[in-house]
Amino acid sequence: MKRSALVTTLVTPLVTALLTGTLVSAAPEAPAAAPACTAADADVYTPPATVPATPGTVLACRSVTLSQVPGNIAMSAWKVLYSSTDHQGRPVAVSGTLAVPTAPWTGTGARPVVAFHPGTLGLGPQCAFSKQLAGAFQDEYEGDNIAALLKAGYAVAATDGPGYLDGQTHRYVAGTDSGHALLDIARAAPAVPGSGLSRQARIGLWGYSEGGAASLWAAQLAAGYAPELNVVGDASGGIPGDLKQVAAGLDGGAFSGFLADAALGIQAAHPALPLDSLLNDQGKEAVRTAKSVCLVGTVTALAGRSIKDLTTAGLTLDQLYQQRGSDGRTWGQVLDAQKLGVNLGTYRITFPVLQYRGALDEVIPTATEDAVRTAYCAAGVRTGWKIYPGDHLLTDNQAVGDVVTWLGDRFAGRPARNDC
């Protein structure tokens, strides 16, 4: 189903929120290629007993047809399970999709790769982007984004993001974990048998909303975590740059389901934080719902919920932020660590960035989106900027052509415009 049909038949406006992060690591050895892409579908989503310490190692892969990428584009596509690293430096496995156009690459150098992180899809295991692109479930809205990249001749390495394997909870808006997952699927792509991709390929990063925060975290982490990747640009839209500011706008409102997802995603990444012990019966039921539904269910089933109605002590957000975990860190401290545009002297971004948002964004406060752009400009990052006339969901679609053109200019080595 194309995005326009999804918008018409499901919800307008609708969609996405939030993200997080921290830290770096040394460049690993090049991952070895997988022996063959003959894994069973279930194997792609089964957490392995052990995960290699080398990020980007292909652990399993399976050839698939991406029925939800419109346009009848000739391509080879695979589901992949690959190794990544969480915010504590521990090896983890992450699932995703790789798609390579069948048409020969006619540009200069090796075929470029766009590492793509989807926007909010929900926490249910059926919501994984790789499952939805292959038609197992339909609640995604970015098949057009993938199609536009493939039509331009680029390979697409789309991570599901951490925590979509069986028995896990998606680490929604956990910045470092998400940024690592995005960089590591770019590392894994050349190791997929039959991909024909080069380790020297130029890499572009792209994401919107949840994906926009993930791609900016990948941009901030790239130099320290994946210095061998030839990243030439990042496009990030609808950015939830400050999770506390976003939460204040979501709590008790039409999109409060995204706040529930964020609490569960952050706690999955930081299990020392208290959550279950704070919830009343209504809160526990909301958790069960959030973990079982995808995007539309998140919006419709959890609209209007406020944190004070879900906790035994009737906590406000500010009171929740003061709750301390078993490791001594509070909710507030963990959320502050996810803020984008901070410590940009440490996070060296050596390539251009494009940021964009909707003029009518009703999900992410425009103030936090604007603040991220201001911080990047103040740090000397070459930053493009554009405001579209849509709301949160529609802006994702409105920007597709401009983003693909902007990435094409980066792949061609053309100078990037600076709108600071």
Side-chain angles (χ1 to χ4, degrees):
M1 183 183 295
K2 296 186 73 171
R3 182 200 321 259
S4 58
L6 183 66
V7 173
T8 300
T9 58
L10 296 178
V11 195
T12 303
L14 182 87
V15 90
T16 35
L18 299 91
L19 249 243
T20 89
T22 321
L23 238 40
V24 315
S25 84
E29 297 178 1
C37 285
T38 57
D41 191 72
D43 292 341
V44 176
Y45 303 102
T46 300
T50 59
V51 179
T54 302
T57 300
V58 176
L59 307 176
C61 52
R62 173 182 175 83
S63 295
V64 292
T65 298
L66 302 184
S67 61
Q68 300 307 307
V69 175
N72 296 316
I73 303 163
M75 71 177 89
S76 297
W78 303 264
K79 288 182 177 182
V80 295
L81 179 68
Y82 63 97
S83 62
S84 187
T85 311
D86 71 8
H87 65 280
Q88 292 184 306
R90 299 173 301 190
V92 293
V94 180
S95 54
T97 302
L98 175 65
V100 181
T102 301
W105 171 247
T106 58
T108 58
R111 186 191 299 273
V113 178
V114 177
F116 183 86
H117 193 298
T120 298
L121 294 174
L123 301 186
Q126 74 277 18
C127 311
F129 197 46
S130 59
K131 293 181 179 180
Q132 296 206 47
L133 288 179
F137 187 83
Q138 184 49 45
D139 201 10
E140 62 82 24
Y141 47 91
E142 292 180 309
D144 289 343
N145 303 50
I146 306 304
L149 293 169
L150 294 171
K151 288 177 181 176
Y154 312 138
V156 181
T159 183
D160 289 340
Y164 273 116
L165 304 187
D166 296 343
Q168 298 180 347
T169 298
H170 174 45
R171 296 186 171 194
Y172 184 64
V173 301
T176 299
D177 300 69
S178 300
H180 286 173
L182 188 57
L183 293 167
D184 287 329
I185 199 168
R187 282 169 158 161
V192 173
S195 71
L197 299 174
S198 169
R199 297 195 186 282
Q200 285 70 52
R202 291 153 290 178
I203 306 294
L205 309 173
W206 186 14
Y208 184 81
S209 195
E210 179 194 358
S215 58
L216 269 191
W217 269 107
Q220 293 185 170
L221 295 166
Y225 178 72
E228 82 284 5
L229 290 180
N230 183 18
V231 181
V232 297
D234 165 59
S236 297
I239 303 157
D242 183 337
L243 295 184
K244 288 182 177 178
Q245 192 170 4
V246 175
L250 294 175
D251 191 35
F255 300 99
S256 57
F258 299 146
L259 179 55
D261 281 1
L264 292 170
I266 292 296
Q267 203 268 342
H270 300 270
L273 290 174
L275 183 59
D276 290 349
S277 61
L278 305 177
L279 298 175
N280 58 25
D281 289 344
Q282 189 178 353
K284 292 174 182 177
E285 178 59 30
V287 166
R288 287 191 289 270
T289 298
K291 287 186 175 183
S292 67
V293 297
C294 296
L295 174 61
V296 173
T298 299
V299 174
T300 58
L302 298 174
R305 303 294 184 92
S306 175
I307 186 68
K308 63 181 175 56
D309 299 324
L310 304 179
T311 52
T312 55
L315 299 175
T316 64
L317 285 173
D318 285 340
Q319 289 171 331
L320 174 65
Y321 299 152
Q322 296 170 18
Q323 303 303 306
R324 193 173 301 276
S326 58
D327 63 353
R329 300 181 75 194
T330 66
W331 270 95
Q333 289 170 327
V334 171
L335 293 178
D336 285 341
Q338 316 307 316
K339 190 172 182 180
L340 283 159
V342 177
N343 296 327
L344 290 178
T346 300
Y347 299 126
R348 295 180 297 107
I349 301 176
T350 58
F351 44 80
V353 170
L354 172 66
Q355 295 183 31
Y356 57 97
R357 67 165 174 84
L360 304 177
D361 197 325
E362 77 286 38
V363 178
I364 308 298
T366 56
T368 189
E369 298 174 276
D370 295 348
V372 175
R373 176 227 181 171
T374 299
Y376 272 57
C377 287
V381 178
R382 180 171 288 273
T383 304
W385 176 251
K386 187 161 185 178
I387 298 175
Y388 291 87
D391 61 15
H392 188 73
L393 178 60
L394 293 178
T395 295
D396 190 359
N397 185 251
Q398 290 169 345
V400 168
D402 289 339
V403 171
V404 173
T405 297
W406 186 87
L407 287 170
D409 287 341
R410 306 292 74 74
F411 294 145
R414 301 184 184 100
R417 173 175 158 177
N418 190 357
D419 293 322
C420 290

